[in-house]
Amino acid sequence: MPSIPTGKPLLDTALGMRQNTPPIWIMRQAGRYLPEYRAVREKAGSFLDLCFTPEYATEVTLQPLRRFDLDAAILFSDILVIPHALGQTVRFAAGEGPILEPLDAKAIANLTPEKALEELAPVFEALDRIKSALDASKTLIGFCGAPWTVATYMLGGRGSPDQAAARLFALHAPEAFAALMDILVEVSARYLVAQFKAGADIVQIFESWALNLDEDAFAQYVIGPNARIVERVRKEIPDAPVIGFPRGAAGLISRYAAATEVNVVGLDFSMPVAFANKMLPETLAVQGNLDPLRVVAGGRQMEARARAIVDGFKNRPHIFNLGHGITPQTPIENVEALIKTIKQ
Ligand code: CP3
């Protein structure tokens, strides 16, 4: 059945309605490359205080839309508010990224899923405020981290290039690992349902560490939990629109898309455009996939590659985005030039 346009071009694209000009948002569009973000960040104190103060979270969510012609706002928060809400100690050290007290099997049993949604109440208040302030043509994106990606931080205690701590834990202690994944599936699904109820139009599941997994591990850690979250959310919110972003899925992208039934597949920048077109049904929306460093460098190489991506996806619903988050050293004028290139 063809969908009825919602008046929000980005949401329409996600629902399968191709636009002549692709709508655009930028992963990590609120962040340190903006001086107005750095000012609020300083005022808020800690990063978690910024996430959990609705007034501040609303303000930084809206900042990039005041500057740029973007089609969506993404809730300002972090994927690691879930471990925090489950009772794990999480802190964000300046210049070091997130640091968590790594979990063992006993600590997994002591997590507090029953309290998590209450802890996250300020997020829902922020969504409500953002929704009221947002123009009706703009899409409001909610999000969570996918269970495997969140588990890599919960088990490893910090980011790592190969996620070896979590991969070994899953192999050494399969039962404790499965218990952790079950908790994350259930809490993430309830968290996304609550985000829809608070005003989100669509949600993105960030599976930032879908790379470094063999096909069996990919099926078990990535596809299974992502599919269960989507199914669980749609039990309460029928047809809830979902973007899946399995960064590094490579040749497993079509299996991910088919099994999870997401509306949009986010493509990282190493995914060749022609390969994605071959692997994914033409009616399925894609999102991506410019290398963020091309925006740091800017100029003609950026514009040429952005045009090649738009051209490559012109026969299918396409949401323009980077292939990963924008980096702090990105010059603002390059973001302006990129958006102008897409909107022309
Ligand atoms: O996109 C947005 O503008 C919304 C906000 C958002 C943040 N983090 C804010 C943030 C979103 C959607 C995220 C997702 C997130 N967080 C992911 C998945 C996306 C990805 O990039 O792969 C991951 C893996 C995290 C975990 C995380 N949070 C890391 C590894 C770091 C440190 C590295 C870094 O980029 O600084 C964070 C901190 C963080 N999250 C910052 C911001 C703006 C910077 C912290 C600061 O301002 O001091």
Side-chain angles (χ1 to χ4, degrees), residues 1 7 32 50 53 67 105 129 138 146-147 162 173-174 177 179 230 234 244 251 253 263 277 304 314 337 343:
M1 207 173 61
R32 285 162 295 179
L50 175 57
T53 308
R67 257 188 201 273
R129 287 178 182 227
K138 308 289 181 186
D162 59 5
F177 176 73
V230 175
R234 288 189 183 147
I253 195 81
N263 301 78
N277 280 331
K314 66 172 188 271
K343 297 274 174 185

Side-chain angles (χ1 to χ4, degrees), residues 132-330:
S132 314
L134 209 56
D135 188 273
S137 66
K138 308 289 181 186
T139 301
L140 177 51
I141 306 172
F143 73 93
C144 71
W148 167 249
T149 290
V150 175
T152 65
Y153 292 94
M154 294 179 85
L155 295 167
R158 53 175 69 224
S160 75
D162 59 5
Q163 301 78 54
R167 285 160 57 204
L168 277 175
F169 186 92
L171 300 170
H172 279 308
E175 282 172 21
F177 176 73
L180 176 60
M181 296 299 268
D182 285 348
I183 290 170
L184 289 171
V185 165
E186 180 59 23
V187 168
S188 305
R190 280 164 49 208
Y191 183 44
L192 293 182
V193 166
Q195 290 186 36
F196 276 115
K197 289 184 176 162
D201 299 306
I202 188 167
V203 296
Q204 174 155 321
I205 304 175
F206 283 92
E207 188 73 277
S208 300
W209 295 114
L211 55 169
N212 296 328
L213 297 172
D214 66 43
E215 58 194 302
D216 293 349
F218 187 89
Q220 191 189 335
Y221 313 165
V222 173
I223 291 181
N226 278 261
R228 282 161 66 203
I229 290 177
V230 175
E231 193 191 353
R232 173 80 175 67
V233 168
R234 288 189 183 147
K235 244 184 217 152
E236 283 185 63
I237 317 259
D239 305 320
V242 180
I243 306 167
F245 176 52
R247 186 170 74 98
L252 297 166
I253 195 81
S254 52
R255 276 170 67 184
Y256 173 91
T260 60
E261 298 186 22
V262 291
N263 301 78
V264 184
V265 182
L267 306 174
D268 63 77
F269 59 84
S270 64
M271 174 65 69
V273 169
F275 182 76
N277 280 331
K278 202 170 102 188
M279 297 290 280
L280 299 168
E282 201 174 74
T283 50
L284 182 68
V286 296
Q287 173 177 284
N289 70 338
L290 187 70
D291 179 355
L293 292 191
R294 288 193 179 271
V295 194
V296 175
R300 286 173 63 183
Q301 58 74 28
M302 171 184 80
E303 291 167 21
R305 182 67 201 157
R307 282 200 197 95
I309 291 168
V310 171
D311 190 54
F313 291 133
K314 66 172 188 271
N315 292 326
R316 67 187 314 142
H318 174 218
I319 297 169
F320 192 87
N321 205 319
L322 307 186
H324 199 197
I326 191 167
T327 64
Q329 74 269 41
T330 308

Side-chain angles (χ1 to χ4, degrees), residues 28-30 32 37 41 47 77-79 153 206 208 324:
R28 300 285 197 103
Q29 64 191 26
R32 285 162 295 179
Y37 169 84
R41 170 80 171 83
F47 179 72
S77 185
D78 196 83
I79 65 167
Y153 292 94
F206 283 92
S208 300
H324 199 197

